[in-house]
Amino acid sequence: MEERPNALLLKFPGTNCDGETARALETVGFAPRVVPISTATPDDLDGVSLVVLSGGFSYGDYVMAGRLAQLVTRQKLGDALRRFRDRGGYLLGICNGFQILTKLDLLPHTSLVDTISGRFQCTWVKLAKHGDRSPYLKLLPEEFELPIANAEGRLVTETSEQAKALVEQEFAALTYVDNVNGSFEAIAALQDETGRVLGLMPHPERFLYRRHHYDPDWNGDAEWGWGYYFFRSVYEAIVNEPALAGAEA
Amino acid sequence: MPEAASATSIQPKKPTYQHIPFLHLTEAELVDLSGRMKLSLSGEDMLAVQKIFQDWGREPTDVELEVIAQTWSEHCKHRIFGATIEHTTASGTETIHSLFSTYIKGVSERIMARKPGFVLSAFHDNAGFIQLDEDKAVCLKVETHNHPSAIEPYAGANTGLGGVIRDILGAGKGAKPIASLDVFCFGAPDTKPEEIKADDVIHPLGIMRGVVRGVRDYGNRMGIPTVSGAIQFDPAYIYNPLVFCGTAGVIPIPDIDKTMSNGLRVIAAGGRTGRDGLHGATFSSAALDTESHEEDQQAVQIGNPIEEKKVSDFILAAREEGLIEFVTDCGAGGFSSAAGEMLSECGGEIWLDNVPLKEPGLISWEIFISESQERMVLAVKEESLPRLKELADIYETELTELGVADGSGILKVLHHGETVCELDCARLHTAPTKHLASTFTLTATESAGAVTSASWAEDLKAIFADFAIVSREPIIREYDHEVQGNTVLKPLAGAAGDAPQDAAVMLIDGSERLMAMSQSLLPEWGKTDPYAMGQACMDECFRQLVAAGANPDKIALLDNFCVGNPHDPAELGALVESVKGLADAADAFNAPFVSGKDSFYNYFETSEGPVSIPTTALISGIGIVEDAAHVTGASLRRADSYLAILGTTDAALGGSVFARVRGLGDRLAVPGTDCAAALDLYRRYHGALGKGLILAAHDVSEGGLAVALAEMAFSGKAGLEISLDNLPVNGEVGAAARLFAENSSRLVLEIPAEQLDAATEHFSGVPFAILGRATGGHCDLRVEWGKETLLHTSISELKSLWKNGLTPYY
């Protein structure tokens, strides 16, 4: 009988991609559960393999995107997410989730700020993989497409050298092939040294099925889009490490 | 009555209302009072109100007068659509007893009787529902927010979308919003400032930017994809921009019906109540002038989408747990409308002292009619209250016990124990019938004759650079049109991801079926022939839905009208004619209206006299796509396929972009539409989708056939070799009309080479012709007619004009 690893989606007021992200997780084999932050406690992480911060506008993002969500997460969960990471848990932030993650000190220090055009951008982008550390990207080709939709997706570091170092040391898991938002070194996704913590601006959950693509002839009769392979990769990484799948606090 | 919560500590300490000396006022004094209180009630209405209180033998309170003004406002009661109209045309005078009952509702009820089970709810709820599959229904609602957007574009559009989303949350026992559409009418973005003949009018560029950002920031934050829309640019909209916001929703069928009963608790959820949005309903029932921009600021609400997202999460969770008996949104008229509507039959009490306030100092009537945003009103069983409070805490929204339904038939409003309003619901909802006169004379009857051109290619380029045609991409990309992960036919698609489409198609979670959504408006036609406009809008909306894959027998439509001065017989006459056009088309297409809305007084007193908008009808629709394989885009997919046309081309050029760009005058006849014949074509087309005979389909609309062909090729897959020799035509049709006529009921089809014979066979007996083929040999649009090459032009050059036309302005 198939054991479904547990995935926990934290939902803040204004989180709005939890439904389709849960659908994607369910489709690849996880047992997802959406937990509103008002009820969240460190105990919710027990028996969980993957924690997802999905997209949206937590608390409206009226101050810097993700800042209030970070404060509330600290208040509610303390350092439980860090302990979860330390015991082998996987932590994924998508779009607004990435913006929150950058403020939780679980990724190399960066900021996501207004795109260089000053606009919200809802479009598809081509992405390039870097290195083979990421368990989220194993089943994906060297280049692939995903949609983005954000106004604060421009990844910056205090100095340009720091951004270069992120690429050289393979903290940059994905870069934009065309740098649509002016990110330093065109960085689209960032991971920690283990690869288990990943933040990315593109939305893999929006390219679950082939028919999510804008071109009706994309990839012939394939059933799945690249987003499926993204979530399936991390699913396989988890089920192939049984010690992690049942990790206890 | 429960103790007032601590959140109400900024409540006034005692009720703040007064009795108005009223019973003995003369008509002139009543009119004066209506003006001073901003009630927007006419002398006739005020006399009717006076009669009610004379019958009751007491003076009204200010709260009661405000409640009646809200309830009887044009915005809430649609009294012009219910009026008795003497309509005069060349063929005589007829008396119409209610445009709504006669044409909109009357026609729809006949259609519903012809296809039972399809429409599950229409006209009485916040949105009408049609059946999606065995378990689920979908709905659509479209509202206007014109007056607020004229004065404060960002906030006006922001709350326009916020308001229509609440309509969906308040439809049935709470539908889930799944997609939005937005349609705007503005002055041209390059309007010269000196062309604006009034002070304090915001330039169209400022209106456009503010409105788009308002929609963006509400829709994106709510996580509802904005997937469809349109923009019309015309100088007539400089003073009165139009902002239509629509949202579609999905609901389990058993949750559509809702009923009020005695003993149910009335609760409010969501945002707090403040002074923002006082008199919105009555304000929008009057014309704008320069003073409006200063005086009516408080009539514009302030939006907070996260507040609405929280209340939305709460409502959907409560509905799924079966805790909601009745729900409606707080829109125009605030609690007075929402609670008044909810208690309209059984009556009940409302307790104003429980209402959480944003600011101190509100007096009784202000609390009751404030249009502060993000508030929903629910009726629930008393035993459900504890769990509802838990859910409100989980989703971090505020829940207030507002009152109780008591079966008295009386709307009783209490404030600190004192009755500030006590109205018999039966009389509250019976406003006097208006009596109006309208006239219509058709002046656009001329033929363009033989139109020649030094270069059809230059004409085509001028059309592609026109604001009517240019790509809306800079705006579309500001909207998150993919959130919820269900947008499978996107507003921009095709192989390059940036070509225009006819309709959006959404997956529906938990269903094998999909929903298509589209809209049409043709104000240019309506300037001269509103009846033809009504028919053509219906045809275009219907056709776009069918083109994208909807079953032509499973389409429901909405009508939204915007009119200038309804007391001008010619303007009202244009409305009557357009309503008739719509109704006749609905009947022929067998497609019912399930919801609609109207907005009047879209005129402005400029320094050079009043300026009215042209009578503008927006038709929007949803259609059921029964199989994901039917989803069909409007972009060329192969380099060896055939291009065909379905439908007949007419010689009439009235209302076309070509006629305007070439300055052919405004007396040209606009084409008629044979809707019954069109339905046959569309059913035939839908049959071809089922057989796999169609790769892509694009409707021929603004810009005509030449524009449709080029737009299909914007996918970058191939060039086109086209001949117009076999084009099905109606009478003598010259080169101009062959290329640029905009008559209805035509689709360009892309047919796979291997299906050419099967397609030709399938379409035998209807107007259909193979026009040519796609080619990998070049990237041009080549169009020949007889021995003449009409067009030989680079598709990428056309695309560049089209794609970059709006970028300097947005």
Side-chain angles (χ1 to χ4, degrees):
Chain A
M1 202 186 83
E2 184 195 21
E3 269 298 311
R4 284 180 166 258
N6 291 316
L8 178 84
L9 293 94
L10 283 179
K11 181 181 174 76
F12 301 90
T15 297
N16 60 32
C17 300
D18 45 308
E20 58 271 35
T21 306
R23 174 179 69 185
L25 291 166
E26 170 107 34
T27 303
V28 302
F30 285 97
R33 186 163 74 99
V34 177
V35 175
I37 191 70
S38 64
T39 70
T41 68
D43 293 346
D44 285 320
L45 299 177
D46 290 351
V48 166
S49 305
L50 172 67
V51 171
V52 183
L53 304 174
S54 44
F57 290 81
S58 50
Y59 301 94
D61 287 345
Y62 293 110
V63 295
M64 196 179 191
R67 171 71 174 143
L68 288 180
Q70 169 228 331
L71 293 173
V72 177
T73 304
R74 280 264 157 78
Q75 183 195 14
K76 287 281 183 181
L77 299 179
D79 65 348
L81 285 177
R82 176 181 300 280
R83 282 184 280 122
F84 170 76
R85 189 269 318 265
D86 290 345
R87 69 174 149 89
Y90 287 71
L91 183 54
L92 170 65
I94 302 169
C95 198
N96 190 231
F98 183 20
Q99 291 163 340
I100 298 167
L101 264 189
T102 58
K103 296 173 179 61
L104 287 171
D105 290 333
L106 293 164
L107 287 171
H109 185 67
T110 58
S111 282
L112 289 156
V113 300
D114 285 346
T115 56
I116 210 153
S117 65
R119 290 169 179 235
F120 191 93
Q121 289 178 305
C122 179
T123 189
W124 285 61
V125 293
K126 195 170 275 182
L127 300 160
K129 261 169 56 166
H130 290 270
D132 55 5
R133 185 191 301 167
S134 177
Y136 298 85
L137 305 174
K138 290 272 190 276
L139 299 174
L140 288 161
E142 287 306 308
E143 281 193 7
F144 60 95
E145 273 181 297
L146 286 178
I148 58 165
N150 63 72
E152 292 174 73
R154 183 183 183 217
L155 186 140
V156 295
T157 49
E158 280 168 27
T159 66
S160 55
E161 285 71 28
Q162 288 170 344
K164 286 197 178 73
L166 290 176
V167 175
E168 284 159 13
Q169 296 162 25
E170 296 189 6
F171 287 108
L174 292 171
T175 56
Y176 301 105
V177 173
D178 292 315
N179 193 354
V180 289
N181 57 19
S183 291
F184 285 13
E185 301 299 317
I187 295 170
L190 211 59
Q191 60 193 349
D192 70 353
E193 45 286 307
T194 70
R196 295 197 311 274
V197 181
L198 179 77
L200 77 168
M201 289 312 297
H203 285 276
E205 78 281 8
R206 298 185 185 183
F207 192 19
L208 185 62
Y209 312 118
R210 186 187 67 82
R211 61 173 179 263
H212 275 138
H213 199 275
Y214 53 82
D215 180 358
D217 297 307
W218 181 81
N219 209 13
D221 290 328
E223 183 175 6
W224 303 111
W226 294 130
Y228 174 88
Y229 296 100
F230 175 90
F231 290 106
R232 182 73 192 178
S233 295
V234 66
Y235 168 81
E236 289 185 1
I238 287 168
V239 296
N240 291 331
E241 292 177 74
L244 295 178
E248 293 299 326
Chain B
M1 190 176 96
E3 282 298 300
S6 61
T8 61
S9 58
I10 53 172
Q11 271 271 348
K13 298 290 178 266
K14 53 185 176 35
T16 37
Y17 71 104
Q18 53 181 323
H19 284 93
I20 307 285
F22 189 74
L23 297 186
H24 303 292
L25 297 185
T26 65
E27 181 171 355
E29 288 166 337
L30 288 169
V31 169
D32 180 57
L33 180 70
S34 169
R36 277 188 286 119
M37 290 180 71
K38 288 184 185 278
L39 301 177
S40 291
L41 291 175
S42 67
E44 187 193 356
D45 289 344
M46 287 297 276
L47 285 169
V49 176
Q50 193 181 45
K51 176 76 171 56
I52 292 176
F53 285 95
Q54 281 167 350
D55 290 350
W56 292 341
R58 65 174 177 88
E59 301 284 5
T61 66
D62 52 355
V63 183
E64 288 168 333
L65 288 182
E66 292 285 353
V67 170
I68 293 173
Q70 303 302 315
T71 313
W72 289 11
S73 70
E74 188 53 46
H75 191 104
C76 295
K77 208 78 193 167
H78 307 288
R79 293 172 62 194
I80 292 165
F81 260 76
T84 297
I85 299 175
E86 298 286 325
H87 183 58
T88 305
T89 63
S91 49
T93 299
E94 60 178 322
T95 304
I96 298 165
H97 296 285
S98 173
L99 283 171
F100 175 70
S101 300
T102 310
Y103 294 107
I104 306 296
K105 195 173 179 206
V107 168
S108 297
E109 283 174 348
R110 287 205 297 279
I111 297 166
M112 288 180 225
R114 294 202 290 263
K115 44 167 92 174
F118 174 59
V119 175
L120 301 177
S121 157
F123 299 121
H124 64 270
D125 200 348
N126 288 314
F129 288 96
I130 59 171
Q131 185 174 27
L132 174 73
D133 60 19
E134 292 295 301
D135 310 315
K136 293 187 179 63
V138 287
C139 64
L140 176 66
K141 178 66 174 283
V142 180
E143 290 268 9
T144 48
H145 229 211
N146 304 333
H147 286 51
S149 302
I151 289 182
E152 180 53 69
Y154 179 88
N158 199 246
T159 54
L161 182 55
V164 78
I165 292 168
R166 285 196 305 283
D167 274 318
I168 300 306
L169 292 170
K173 290 179 178 174
K176 182 185 180 192
I178 54 169
S180 292
L181 65 85
D182 293 281
V183 176
F184 312 132
C185 299
F186 300 138
D190 61 355
T191 300
K192 293 188 178 64
E194 59 270 25
E195 291 170 27
I196 301 174
K197 306 292 184 193
D199 295 333
D200 285 339
V201 169
I202 302 171
H203 189 275
L205 198 55
I207 297 274
M208 178 171 82
R209 290 176 176 167
V211 164
V212 170
R213 287 167 190 166
V215 166
R216 173 194 70 189
D217 287 350
Y218 217 103
N220 291 0
R221 282 190 167 86
M222 283 299 291
I224 301 166
T226 298
V227 298
S228 192
I231 310 179
Q232 292 281 332
F233 295 105
D234 190 297
Y237 299 116
I238 289 173
Y239 307 99
N240 289 94
L242 304 184
V243 173
F244 301 86
C245 298
T247 299
V250 62
I251 200 167
I253 289 171
D255 286 333
I256 293 175
D257 285 334
K258 53 185 174 185
T259 43
M260 282 301 294
S261 55
N262 295 348
L264 288 182
R265 293 295 171 137
V266 177
I267 61 173
R272 294 189 169 194
T273 301
R275 278 220 175 76
D276 50 318
L278 289 180
H279 283 136
T282 51
F283 152 70
S284 63
S285 303
L288 292 179
D289 55 29
T290 293
E291 272 73 47
S292 305
H293 283 263
E294 290 173 14
E295 286 182 4
D296 294 332
Q297 287 284 357
Q298 67 170 13
V300 182
Q301 307 88 345
I302 300 160
N304 181 352
I306 297 308
E307 200 64 58
E308 185 144 312
K309 175 64 175 154
K310 293 189 289 190
V311 75
S312 164
D313 289 343
F314 164 75
I315 297 259
L316 296 177
R319 189 254 289 155
E320 280 177 18
E321 293 191 19
L323 303 173
I324 297 178
E325 303 303 315
F326 198 99
V327 57
T328 192
D329 67 305
C330 254
F335 285 140
S336 82
S337 285
E341 189 184 306
M342 193 177 257
L343 299 174
S344 64
E345 282 176 18
C346 73
E349 283 186 7
I350 297 296
W351 311 315
L352 293 183
D353 22 336
N354 279 13
V355 174
L357 301 179
K358 287 180 180 174
E359 57 190 314
L362 269 76
I363 60 176
S364 303
W365 70 262
E366 291 177 323
I367 297 173
F368 200 43
I369 72 158
S370 162
E371 297 177 13
S372 289
Q373 297 292 289
E374 290 93 27
R375 299 175 304 162
M376 299 293 295
V377 180
L378 297 78
V380 302
K381 290 180 181 149
E382 192 171 2
E383 62 264 31
S384 304
L385 280 171
R387 177 58 185 158
L388 285 160
K389 284 176 181 163
E390 274 177 25
L391 284 175
D393 287 343
I394 288 172
Y395 294 105
E396 304 186 41
T397 191
E398 200 164 5
L399 184 152
T400 310
E401 288 188 55
L402 197 62
V404 64
D406 65 5
S408 64
I410 305 284
L411 174 64
K412 195 169 176 181
V413 182
L414 295 151
H415 203 183
H416 292 295
E418 285 190 46
T419 301
V420 299
C421 167
E422 188 169 11
L423 291 169
D424 181 336
C425 295
R427 299 213 53 179
L428 179 57
H429 289 276
T430 316
T433 301
K434 286 183 189 262
H435 291 268
L436 300 166
S438 64
T439 58
F440 179 74
T441 312
L442 184 64
T443 54
T445 52
E446 294 174 5
S447 155
V451 181
T452 57
S453 175
S455 164
W456 299 115
E458 289 305 314
D459 292 334
L460 181 59
K461 287 176 195 168
I463 289 171
F464 264 118
D466 191 273
F467 283 125
I469 304 286
V470 295
S471 176
R472 276 52 172 154
E473 180 167 2
I475 290 170
I476 293 169
R477 299 238 182 262
E478 286 247 54
Y479 301 147
D480 190 340
H481 47 262
E482 307 220 37
V483 62
Q484 298 191 14
N486 285 330
T487 315
V488 286
L489 185 56
K490 306 173 202 300
L492 296 168
D498 62 356
Q501 306 299 314
D502 293 344
V505 180
M506 313 297 298
L507 299 171
I508 308 283
D509 288 320
S511 177
E512 294 296 308
R513 294 187 173 172
L514 302 86
M515 182 192 76
M517 184 158 124
S518 190
Q519 66 285 311
S520 166
L521 74 170
L522 296 164
E524 192 69 23
W525 295 39
K527 288 177 183 174
T528 52
D529 194 339
Y531 180 87
M533 170 187 78
Q535 286 204 308
C537 284
M538 293 286 285
D539 177 86
E540 188 182 26
C541 180
F542 193 92
R543 178 166 33 125
Q544 291 174 141
L545 293 167
V546 173
N551 181 337
D553 290 305
K554 292 191 174 174
I555 286 173
L557 299 165
L558 278 69
D559 60 293
N560 282 77
F561 289 96
C562 291
V563 180
N565 182 0
H567 303 290
D568 176 328
E571 291 192 49
L572 188 62
L575 172 68
V576 172
E577 291 295 316
S578 62
V579 170
K580 288 183 173 188
L582 253 65
D584 287 351
D587 206 18
F589 283 126
N590 221 10
F593 297 105
V594 292
S595 178
K597 212 69 195 273
D598 48 70
S599 162
F600 288 92
Y601 306 103
N602 293 290
Y603 69 100
F604 192 101
E605 300 286 349
T606 71
S607 58
E608 296 179 356
V611 175
S612 273
I613 61 157
T615 294
T616 305
L618 169 70
I619 298 302
S620 14
I622 46 177
I624 308 301
V625 180
E626 291 170 318
D627 185 333
H630 292 169
V631 178
T632 305
S635 301
L636 202 66
R637 293 170 60 183
R638 298 207 185 149
D640 64 347
S641 50
Y642 286 86
L643 275 294
I645 187 152
L646 187 61
T648 307
T649 298
D650 200 284
L653 287 169
S656 66
V657 178
F658 176 80
R660 191 166 42 76
V661 166
R662 285 281 305 268
L664 300 182
D666 58 6
R667 298 181 73 87
L668 294 181
V670 303
T673 302
D674 183 344
C675 299
L679 180 60
D680 279 346
L681 291 184
Y682 302 153
R683 285 183 173 147
R684 194 74 73 100
Y685 166 82
H686 188 66
L689 284 186
K691 292 182 187 172
L693 303 179
I694 310 291
L695 288 167
H698 191 22
D699 75 317
V700 180
S701 56
E702 284 173 307
L705 177 60
V707 166
L709 287 164
E711 285 181 344
M712 286 185 84
F714 285 171
S715 62
K717 283 275 185 175
L720 293 178
E721 304 259 3
I722 300 296
S723 162
L724 301 181
D725 292 0
N726 296 325
L727 189 73
V729 293
N730 183 12
E732 286 284 308
V733 178
R738 282 173 191 258
L739 291 171
F740 302 118
E742 297 181 12
N743 69 282
S744 305
S745 317
R746 293 176 298 159
L747 288 170
V748 181
L749 312 178
E750 183 191 9
I751 294 168
E754 65 274 16
Q755 299 284 11
L756 179 65
D757 293 342
T760 307
E761 167 74 25
H762 178 86
F763 288 108
S764 66
V766 296
F768 170 87
I770 301 295
L771 296 179
R773 27 189 342 178
T775 170
H778 58 73
C779 299
D780 297 338
L781 172 63
R782 290 186 59 159
V783 179
E784 295 178 350
W785 183 36
K787 293 194 171 61
E788 194 186 348
T789 298
L790 301 179
L791 294 172
H792 183 182
T793 182
S794 151
I795 289 166
S796 62
E797 188 185 344
L798 295 174
K799 185 173 178 182
S800 169
L801 286 168
W802 171 81
K803 196 172 159 87
N804 298 316
L806 206 53
T807 46
Y809 304 97
Y810 194 89

PDB file of all heavy atoms in Angstrom, chain B residues 1-5 354:
ATOM      1  N   MET B   1     -31.330  40.663  23.458  1.00  0.00           N
ATOM      2  CA  MET B   1     -30.279  41.204  22.568  1.00  0.00           C
ATOM      3  C   MET B   1     -28.924  41.074  23.238  1.00  0.00           C
ATOM      4  O   MET B   1     -28.791  41.424  24.416  1.00  0.00           O
ATOM      5  CB  MET B   1     -30.586  42.675  22.302  1.00  0.00           C
ATOM      6  CG  MET B   1     -29.751  43.290  21.249  1.00  0.00           C
ATOM      7  SD  MET B   1     -30.304  44.983  20.947  1.00  0.00           S
ATOM      8  CE  MET B   1     -29.175  45.874  21.961  1.00  0.00           C
ATOM      9  N   PRO B   2     -27.900  40.557  22.550  1.00  0.00           N
ATOM     10  CA  PRO B   2     -26.584  40.374  23.178  1.00  0.00           C
ATOM     11  C   PRO B   2     -25.963  41.716  23.548  1.00  0.00           C
ATOM     12  O   PRO B   2     -26.274  42.743  22.951  1.00  0.00           O
ATOM     13  CB  PRO B   2     -25.756  39.674  22.106  1.00  0.00           C
ATOM     14  CG  PRO B   2     -26.653  39.410  20.964  1.00  0.00           C
ATOM     15  CD  PRO B   2     -27.892  40.203  21.143  1.00  0.00           C
ATOM     16  N   GLU B   3     -25.078  41.655  24.536  1.00  0.00           N
ATOM     17  CA  GLU B   3     -24.332  42.845  24.908  1.00  0.00           C
ATOM     18  C   GLU B   3     -23.469  43.291  23.738  1.00  0.00           C
ATOM     19  O   GLU B   3     -22.927  42.471  23.001  1.00  0.00           O
ATOM     20  CB  GLU B   3     -23.415  42.532  26.099  1.00  0.00           C
ATOM     21  CG  GLU B   3     -24.135  42.500  27.438  1.00  0.00           C
ATOM     22  CD  GLU B   3     -24.750  43.835  27.788  1.00  0.00           C
ATOM     23  OE1 GLU B   3     -23.991  44.814  27.888  1.00  0.00           O
ATOM     24  OE2 GLU B   3     -25.997  43.906  27.929  1.00  0.00           O
ATOM     25  N   ALA B   4     -23.321  44.610  23.605  1.00  0.00           N
ATOM     26  CA  ALA B   4     -22.458  45.124  22.555  1.00  0.00           C
ATOM     27  C   ALA B   4     -21.021  44.688  22.822  1.00  0.00           C
ATOM     28  O   ALA B   4     -20.566  44.680  23.963  1.00  0.00           O
ATOM     29  CB  ALA B   4     -22.536  46.640  22.521  1.00  0.00           C
ATOM     30  N   ALA B   5     -20.324  44.285  21.768  1.00  0.00           N
ATOM     31  CA  ALA B   5     -18.949  43.815  21.918  1.00  0.00           C
ATOM     32  C   ALA B   5     -18.027  44.992  22.225  1.00  0.00           C
ATOM     33  O   ALA B   5     -18.368  46.145  21.990  1.00  0.00           O
ATOM     34  CB  ALA B   5     -18.502  43.114  20.639  1.00  0.00           C
ATOM     35  N   ASN B 354     -24.355  47.071  17.848  1.00  0.00           N
ATOM     36  CA  ASN B 354     -23.358  45.995  17.759  1.00  0.00           C
ATOM     37  C   ASN B 354     -22.363  46.201  16.620  1.00  0.00           C
ATOM     38  O   ASN B 354     -21.378  45.483  16.523  1.00  0.00           O
ATOM     39  CB  ASN B 354     -24.065  44.658  17.515  1.00  0.00           C
ATOM     40  CG  ASN B 354     -24.612  44.073  18.795  1.00  0.00           C
ATOM     41  OD1 ASN B 354     -24.673  44.762  19.809  1.00  0.00           O
ATOM     42  ND2 ASN B 354     -25.004  42.823  18.747  1.00  0.00           N
TER      43      ASN B 354
END
